[in-house]
PDB file of all heavy atoms in Angstrom:
ATOM      1  N   VAL A 190      -0.225  59.125  23.504  1.00 71.00           N
ATOM      2  CA  VAL A 190       0.138  58.276  24.641  1.00 71.00           C
ATOM      3  C   VAL A 190      -0.659  56.983  24.573  1.00 71.00           C
ATOM      4  O   VAL A 190      -0.118  55.886  24.793  1.00 71.00           O
ATOM      5  CB  VAL A 190      -0.117  59.018  25.977  1.00 71.00           C
ATOM      6  CG1 VAL A 190       0.043  58.077  27.149  1.00 71.00           C
ATOM      7  CG2 VAL A 190       0.844  60.187  26.120  1.00 71.00           C
ATOM      8  N   ASP A 191      -1.954  57.116  24.274  1.00 82.00           N
ATOM      9  CA  ASP A 191      -2.793  55.917  24.164  1.00 82.00           C
ATOM     10  C   ASP A 191      -2.255  54.978  23.072  1.00 82.00           C
ATOM     11  O   ASP A 191      -2.237  53.751  23.237  1.00 82.00           O
ATOM     12  CB  ASP A 191      -4.233  56.310  23.845  1.00 82.00           C
ATOM     13  CG  ASP A 191      -4.939  56.951  25.042  1.00 82.00           C
ATOM     14  OD1 ASP A 191      -4.415  56.761  26.174  1.00 82.00           O
ATOM     15  OD2 ASP A 191      -5.973  57.583  24.848  1.00 82.00           O
ATOM     16  N   LYS A 192      -1.839  55.609  21.986  1.00 80.00           N
ATOM     17  CA  LYS A 192      -1.328  54.805  20.868  1.00 80.00           C
ATOM     18  C   LYS A 192      -0.038  54.113  21.284  1.00 80.00           C
ATOM     19  O   LYS A 192       0.177  52.936  20.969  1.00 80.00           O
ATOM     20  CB  LYS A 192      -1.085  55.703  19.650  1.00 80.00           C
ATOM     21  CG  LYS A 192      -0.777  54.971  18.394  1.00 80.00           C
ATOM     22  CD  LYS A 192      -1.993  54.193  17.917  1.00 80.00           C
ATOM     23  CE  LYS A 192      -1.794  53.606  16.549  1.00 80.00           C
ATOM     24  NZ  LYS A 192      -2.834  52.729  16.155  1.00 80.00           N
ATOM     25  N   VAL A 193       0.831  54.808  22.009  1.00 83.00           N
ATOM     26  CA  VAL A 193       2.091  54.238  22.478  1.00 83.00           C
ATOM     27  C   VAL A 193       1.802  53.091  23.436  1.00 83.00           C
ATOM     28  O   VAL A 193       2.408  52.019  23.350  1.00 83.00           O
ATOM     29  CB  VAL A 193       2.970  55.315  23.157  1.00 83.00           C
ATOM     30  CG1 VAL A 193       4.131  54.690  23.892  1.00 83.00           C
ATOM     31  CG2 VAL A 193       3.477  56.297  22.125  1.00 83.00           C
ATOM     32  N   VAL A 194       0.850  53.286  24.354  1.00 83.00           N
ATOM     33  CA  VAL A 194       0.475  52.247  25.318  1.00 83.00           C
ATOM     34  C   VAL A 194      -0.078  51.042  24.563  1.00 83.00           C
ATOM     35  O   VAL A 194       0.278  49.888  24.837  1.00 83.00           O
ATOM     36  CB  VAL A 194      -0.539  52.789  26.348  1.00 83.00           C
ATOM     37  CG1 VAL A 194      -1.123  51.670  27.177  1.00 83.00           C
ATOM     38  CG2 VAL A 194       0.114  53.832  27.238  1.00 83.00           C
ATOM     39  N   GLU A 195      -0.962  51.319  23.610  1.00 86.00           N
ATOM     40  CA  GLU A 195      -1.580  50.224  22.839  1.00 86.00           C
ATOM     41  C   GLU A 195      -0.509  49.448  22.083  1.00 86.00           C
ATOM     42  O   GLU A 195      -0.482  48.220  22.086  1.00 86.00           O
ATOM     43  CB  GLU A 195      -2.599  50.817  21.848  1.00 86.00           C
ATOM     44  CG  GLU A 195      -3.284  49.765  21.001  1.00 86.00           C
ATOM     45  CD  GLU A 195      -4.205  50.409  19.943  1.00 86.00           C
ATOM     46  OE1 GLU A 195      -4.672  51.542  20.118  1.00 86.00           O
ATOM     47  OE2 GLU A 195      -4.418  49.728  18.936  1.00 86.00           O
ATOM     48  N   LEU A 196       0.393  50.165  21.436  1.00 88.00           N
ATOM     49  CA  LEU A 196       1.447  49.499  20.675  1.00 88.00           C
ATOM     50  C   LEU A 196       2.418  48.765  21.591  1.00 88.00           C
ATOM     51  O   LEU A 196       2.887  47.663  21.270  1.00 88.00           O
ATOM     52  CB  LEU A 196       2.193  50.515  19.811  1.00 88.00           C
ATOM     53  CG  LEU A 196       1.386  51.107  18.643  1.00 88.00           C
ATOM     54  CD1 LEU A 196       2.198  52.188  17.941  1.00 88.00           C
ATOM     55  CD2 LEU A 196       0.968  50.034  17.653  1.00 88.00           C
ATOM     56  N   THR A 197       2.690  49.328  22.744  1.00 89.00           N
ATOM     57  CA  THR A 197       3.579  48.681  23.710  1.00 89.00           C
ATOM     58  C   THR A 197       2.964  47.385  24.205  1.00 89.00           C
ATOM     59  O   THR A 197       3.636  46.360  24.318  1.00 89.00           O
ATOM     60  CB  THR A 197       3.866  49.625  24.889  1.00 89.00           C
ATOM     61  OG1 THR A 197       4.457  50.840  24.388  1.00 89.00           O
ATOM     62  CG2 THR A 197       4.795  49.014  25.885  1.00 89.00           C
ATOM     63  N   GLU A 198       1.647  47.450  24.529  1.00 89.00           N
ATOM     64  CA  GLU A 198       0.951  46.242  24.988  1.00 89.00           C
ATOM     65  C   GLU A 198       0.965  45.167  23.897  1.00 89.00           C
ATOM     66  O   GLU A 198       1.194  43.977  24.171  1.00 89.00           O
ATOM     67  CB  GLU A 198      -0.473  46.583  25.401  1.00 89.00           C
ATOM     68  CG  GLU A 198      -0.553  47.340  26.702  1.00 89.00           C
ATOM     69  CD  GLU A 198      -1.974  47.796  27.035  1.00 89.00           C
ATOM     70  OE1 GLU A 198      -2.901  47.595  26.202  1.00 89.00           O
ATOM     71  OE2 GLU A 198      -2.147  48.344  28.120  1.00 89.00           O
ATOM     72  N   LYS A 199       0.712  45.582  22.653  1.00 88.00           N
ATOM     73  CA  LYS A 199       0.743  44.627  21.544  1.00 88.00           C
ATOM     74  C   LYS A 199       2.141  44.048  21.393  1.00 88.00           C
ATOM     75  O   LYS A 199       2.318  42.843  21.171  1.00 88.00           O
ATOM     76  CB  LYS A 199       0.318  45.303  20.236  1.00 88.00           C
ATOM     77  CG  LYS A 199      -1.168  45.448  20.068  1.00 88.00           C
ATOM     78  CD  LYS A 199      -1.488  46.004  18.682  1.00 88.00           C
ATOM     79  CE  LYS A 199      -2.993  46.113  18.493  1.00 88.00           C
ATOM     80  NZ  LYS A 199      -3.345  46.627  17.173  1.00 88.00           N
ATOM     81  N   ALA A 200       3.148  44.936  21.537  1.00 90.00           N
ATOM     82  CA  ALA A 200       4.531  44.490  21.406  1.00 90.00           C
ATOM     83  C   ALA A 200       4.869  43.491  22.508  1.00 90.00           C
ATOM     84  O   ALA A 200       5.532  42.474  22.263  1.00 90.00           O
ATOM     85  CB  ALA A 200       5.484  45.662  21.435  1.00 90.00           C
ATOM     86  N   GLU A 201       4.399  43.766  23.746  1.00 90.00           N
ATOM     87  CA  GLU A 201       4.642  42.850  24.861  1.00 90.00           C
ATOM     88  C   GLU A 201       3.980  41.503  24.610  1.00 90.00           C
ATOM     89  O   GLU A 201       4.569  40.439  24.865  1.00 90.00           O
ATOM     90  CB  GLU A 201       4.141  43.462  26.175  1.00 90.00           C
ATOM     91  CG  GLU A 201       5.025  44.568  26.704  1.00 90.00           C
ATOM     92  CD  GLU A 201       4.432  45.225  27.951  1.00 90.00           C
ATOM     93  OE1 GLU A 201       3.319  44.859  28.382  1.00 90.00           O
ATOM     94  OE2 GLU A 201       5.105  46.106  28.493  1.00 90.00           O
ATOM     95  N   LYS A 202       2.717  41.551  24.121  1.00 89.00           N
ATOM     96  CA  LYS A 202       2.019  40.302  23.804  1.00 89.00           C
ATOM     97  C   LYS A 202       2.772  39.527  22.730  1.00 89.00           C
ATOM     98  O   LYS A 202       2.917  38.302  22.795  1.00 89.00           O
ATOM     99  CB  LYS A 202       0.594  40.588  23.354  1.00 89.00           C
ATOM    100  CG  LYS A 202      -0.321  41.007  24.477  1.00 89.00           C
ATOM    101  CD  LYS A 202      -1.726  41.293  23.963  1.00 89.00           C
ATOM    102  CE  LYS A 202      -2.629  41.781  25.090  1.00 89.00           C
ATOM    103  NZ  LYS A 202      -3.974  42.104  24.617  1.00 89.00           N
ATOM    104  N   LEU A 203       3.230  40.241  21.711  1.00 91.00           N
ATOM    105  CA  LEU A 203       3.968  39.587  20.639  1.00 91.00           C
ATOM    106  C   LEU A 203       5.287  39.017  21.167  1.00 91.00           C
ATOM    107  O   LEU A 203       5.718  37.921  20.752  1.00 91.00           O
ATOM    108  CB  LEU A 203       4.223  40.554  19.487  1.00 91.00           C
ATOM    109  CG  LEU A 203       2.983  40.930  18.655  1.00 91.00           C
ATOM    110  CD1 LEU A 203       3.350  41.982  17.622  1.00 91.00           C
ATOM    111  CD2 LEU A 203       2.392  39.702  17.961  1.00 91.00           C
ATOM    112  N   CYS A 204       5.930  39.751  22.087  1.00 89.00           N
ATOM    113  CA  CYS A 204       7.180  39.252  22.674  1.00 89.00           C
ATOM    114  C   CYS A 204       6.922  37.973  23.471  1.00 89.00           C
ATOM    115  O   CYS A 204       7.695  37.007  23.386  1.00 89.00           O
ATOM    116  CB  CYS A 204       7.817  40.320  23.592  1.00 89.00           C
ATOM    117  SG  CYS A 204       8.651  41.614  22.663  1.00 89.00           S
ATOM    118  N   ILE A 205       5.818  37.975  24.230  1.00 92.00           N
ATOM    119  CA  ILE A 205       5.448  36.779  25.006  1.00 92.00           C
ATOM    120  C   ILE A 205       5.169  35.615  24.055  1.00 92.00           C
ATOM    121  O   ILE A 205       5.631  34.489  24.247  1.00 92.00           O
ATOM    122  CB  ILE A 205       4.251  37.071  25.926  1.00 92.00           C
ATOM    123  CG1 ILE A 205       4.674  38.053  27.037  1.00 92.00           C
ATOM    124  CG2 ILE A 205       3.691  35.796  26.507  1.00 92.00           C
ATOM    125  CD1 ILE A 205       3.513  38.605  27.851  1.00 92.00           C
ATOM    126  N   GLU A 206       4.410  35.910  22.996  1.00 90.00           N
ATOM    127  CA  GLU A 206       4.095  34.871  22.005  1.00 90.00           C
ATOM    128  C   GLU A 206       5.377  34.398  21.323  1.00 90.00           C
ATOM    129  O   GLU A 206       5.580  33.193  21.113  1.00 90.00           O
ATOM    130  CB  GLU A 206       3.105  35.412  20.969  1.00 90.00           C
ATOM    131  CG  GLU A 206       2.622  34.345  20.006  1.00 90.00           C
ATOM    132  CD  GLU A 206       1.586  34.885  19.004  1.00 90.00           C
ATOM    133  OE1 GLU A 206       0.914  35.896  19.289  1.00 90.00           O
ATOM    134  OE2 GLU A 206       1.492  34.265  17.942  1.00 90.00           O
ATOM    135  N   ALA A 207       6.269  35.328  20.992  1.00 91.00           N
ATOM    136  CA  ALA A 207       7.532  34.978  20.357  1.00 91.00           C
ATOM    137  C   ALA A 207       8.371  34.124  21.299  1.00 91.00           C
ATOM    138  O   ALA A 207       9.025  33.152  20.872  1.00 91.00           O
ATOM    139  CB  ALA A 207       8.289  36.229  19.943  1.00 91.00           C
ATOM    140  N   GLU A 208       8.369  34.466  22.582  1.00 90.00           N
ATOM    141  CA  GLU A 208       9.122  33.700  23.572  1.00 90.00           C
ATOM    142  C   GLU A 208       8.578  32.273  23.674  1.00 90.00           C
ATOM    143  O   GLU A 208       9.335  31.299  23.725  1.00 90.00           O
ATOM    144  CB  GLU A 208       9.061  34.398  24.934  1.00 90.00           C
ATOM    145  CG  GLU A 208       9.956  33.752  25.960  1.00 90.00           C
ATOM    146  CD  GLU A 208       9.955  34.498  27.291  1.00 90.00           C
ATOM    147  OE1 GLU A 208       9.672  35.706  27.299  1.00 90.00           O
ATOM    148  OE2 GLU A 208      10.238  33.845  28.295  1.00 90.00           O
ATOM    149  N   LYS A 209       7.235  32.124  23.669  1.00 91.00           N
ATOM    150  CA  LYS A 209       6.619  30.793  23.710  1.00 91.00           C
ATOM    151  C   LYS A 209       7.007  29.987  22.473  1.00 91.00           C
ATOM    152  O   LYS A 209       7.344  28.808  22.558  1.00 91.00           O
ATOM    153  CB  LYS A 209       5.100  30.914  23.822  1.00 91.00           C
ATOM    154  CG  LYS A 209       4.615  31.380  25.165  1.00 91.00           C
ATOM    155  CD  LYS A 209       3.100  31.491  25.193  1.00 91.00           C
ATOM    156  CE  LYS A 209       2.607  32.038  26.517  1.00 91.00           C
ATOM    157  NZ  LYS A 209       1.147  32.197  26.545  1.00 91.00           N
ATOM    158  N   LYS A 210       6.935  30.671  21.318  1.00 92.00           N
ATOM    159  CA  LYS A 210       7.290  29.988  20.070  1.00 92.00           C
ATOM    160  C   LYS A 210       8.771  29.595  20.096  1.00 92.00           C
ATOM    161  O   LYS A 210       9.142  28.512  19.653  1.00 92.00           O
ATOM    162  CB  LYS A 210       7.010  30.881  18.863  1.00 92.00           C
ATOM    163  CG  LYS A 210       5.579  31.284  18.689  1.00 92.00           C
ATOM    164  CD  LYS A 210       4.843  30.329  17.814  1.00 92.00           C
ATOM    165  CE  LYS A 210       3.415  30.859  17.609  1.00 92.00           C
ATOM    166  NZ  LYS A 210       2.563  29.895  17.000  1.00 92.00           N
ATOM    167  N   SER A 211       9.611  30.463  20.618  1.00 88.00           N
ATOM    168  CA  SER A 211      11.034  30.189  20.704  1.00 88.00           C
ATOM    169  C   SER A 211      11.299  28.998  21.626  1.00 88.00           C
ATOM    170  O   SER A 211      12.121  28.126  21.318  1.00 88.00           O
ATOM    171  CB  SER A 211      11.767  31.426  21.213  1.00 88.00           C
ATOM    172  OG  SER A 211      13.144  31.156  21.328  1.00 88.00           O
ATOM    173  N   GLU A 212      10.594  28.951  22.774  1.00 91.00           N
ATOM    174  CA  GLU A 212      10.729  27.830  23.696  1.00 91.00           C
ATOM    175  C   GLU A 212      10.265  26.529  23.040  1.00 91.00           C
ATOM    176  O   GLU A 212      10.895  25.472  23.197  1.00 91.00           O
ATOM    177  CB  GLU A 212       9.950  28.099  24.989  1.00 91.00           C
ATOM    178  CG  GLU A 212      10.587  29.158  25.866  1.00 91.00           C
ATOM    179  CD  GLU A 212       9.690  29.536  27.052  1.00 91.00           C
ATOM    180  OE1 GLU A 212       8.575  28.975  27.179  1.00 91.00           O
ATOM    181  OE2 GLU A 212      10.112  30.383  27.837  1.00 91.00           O
ATOM    182  N   ALA A 213       9.146  26.605  22.307  1.00 90.00           N
ATOM    183  CA  ALA A 213       8.642  25.426  21.603  1.00 90.00           C
ATOM    184  C   ALA A 213       9.651  24.965  20.556  1.00 90.00           C
ATOM    185  O   ALA A 213       9.911  23.757  20.398  1.00 90.00           O
ATOM    186  CB  ALA A 213       7.290  25.713  20.973  1.00 90.00           C
ATOM    187  N   ALA A 214      10.221  25.930  19.841  1.00 90.00           N
ATOM    188  CA  ALA A 214      11.223  25.593  18.829  1.00 90.00           C
ATOM    189  C   ALA A 214      12.446  24.969  19.489  1.00 90.00           C
ATOM    190  O   ALA A 214      12.996  23.978  18.993  1.00 90.00           O
ATOM    191  CB  ALA A 214      11.616  26.829  18.033  1.00 90.00           C
ATOM    192  N   ALA A 215      12.861  25.515  20.614  1.00 87.00           N
ATOM    193  CA  ALA A 215      14.014  24.968  21.338  1.00 87.00           C
ATOM    194  C   ALA A 215      13.717  23.547  21.808  1.00 87.00           C
ATOM    195  O   ALA A 215      14.581  22.666  21.745  1.00 87.00           O
ATOM    196  CB  ALA A 215      14.372  25.866  22.521  1.00 87.00           C
ATOM    197  N   ALA A 216      12.491  23.333  22.286  1.00 88.00           N
ATOM    198  CA  ALA A 216      12.094  21.988  22.719  1.00 88.00           C
ATOM    199  C   ALA A 216      12.131  21.018  21.534  1.00 88.00           C
ATOM    200  O   ALA A 216      12.582  19.872  21.666  1.00 88.00           O
ATOM    201  CB  ALA A 216      10.703  22.019  23.349  1.00 88.00           C
ATOM    202  N   LEU A 217      11.659  21.476  20.380  1.00 88.00           N
ATOM    203  CA  LEU A 217      11.692  20.615  19.187  1.00 88.00           C
ATOM    204  C   LEU A 217      13.126  20.327  18.755  1.00 88.00           C
ATOM    205  O   LEU A 217      13.451  19.202  18.356  1.00 88.00           O
ATOM    206  CB  LEU A 217      10.901  21.255  18.046  1.00 88.00           C
ATOM    207  CG  LEU A 217       9.375  21.248  18.216  1.00 88.00           C
ATOM    208  CD1 LEU A 217       8.731  22.038  17.083  1.00 88.00           C
ATOM    209  CD2 LEU A 217       8.848  19.827  18.240  1.00 88.00           C
ATOM    210  N   VAL A 218      13.988  21.349  18.831  1.00 86.00           N
ATOM    211  CA  VAL A 218      15.403  21.150  18.490  1.00 86.00           C
ATOM    212  C   VAL A 218      16.019  20.144  19.464  1.00 86.00           C
ATOM    213  O   VAL A 218      16.754  19.238  19.054  1.00 86.00           O
ATOM    214  CB  VAL A 218      16.172  22.485  18.504  1.00 86.00           C
ATOM    215  CG1 VAL A 218      17.672  22.256  18.468  1.00 86.00           C
ATOM    216  CG2 VAL A 218      15.732  23.357  17.339  1.00 86.00           C
ATOM    217  N   ASP A 219      15.700  20.301  20.745  1.00 87.00           N
ATOM    218  CA  ASP A 219      16.219  19.374  21.763  1.00 87.00           C
ATOM    219  C   ASP A 219      15.732  17.951  21.486  1.00 87.00           C
ATOM    220  O   ASP A 219      16.500  16.983  21.534  1.00 87.00           O
ATOM    221  CB  ASP A 219      15.777  19.833  23.160  1.00 87.00           C
ATOM    222  CG  ASP A 219      16.427  19.011  24.251  1.00 87.00           C
ATOM    223  OD1 ASP A 219      17.661  18.790  24.170  1.00 87.00           O
ATOM    224  OD2 ASP A 219      15.709  18.582  25.168  1.00 87.00           O
TER     225      ASP A 219
END
Side-chain angles (χ1 to χ4, degrees):
V190 171
D191 288 342
K192 189 68 171 172
V193 168
V194 169
E195 180 185 336
L196 291 175
T197 302
E198 287 174 356
K199 280 186 178 181
E201 286 175 358
K202 287 179 183 178
L203 289 175
C204 283
I205 292 170
E206 186 178 336
E208 187 177 335
K209 288 179 183 178
K210 299 268 184 191
S211 179
E212 288 172 0
L217 288 174
V218 167
D219 187 46

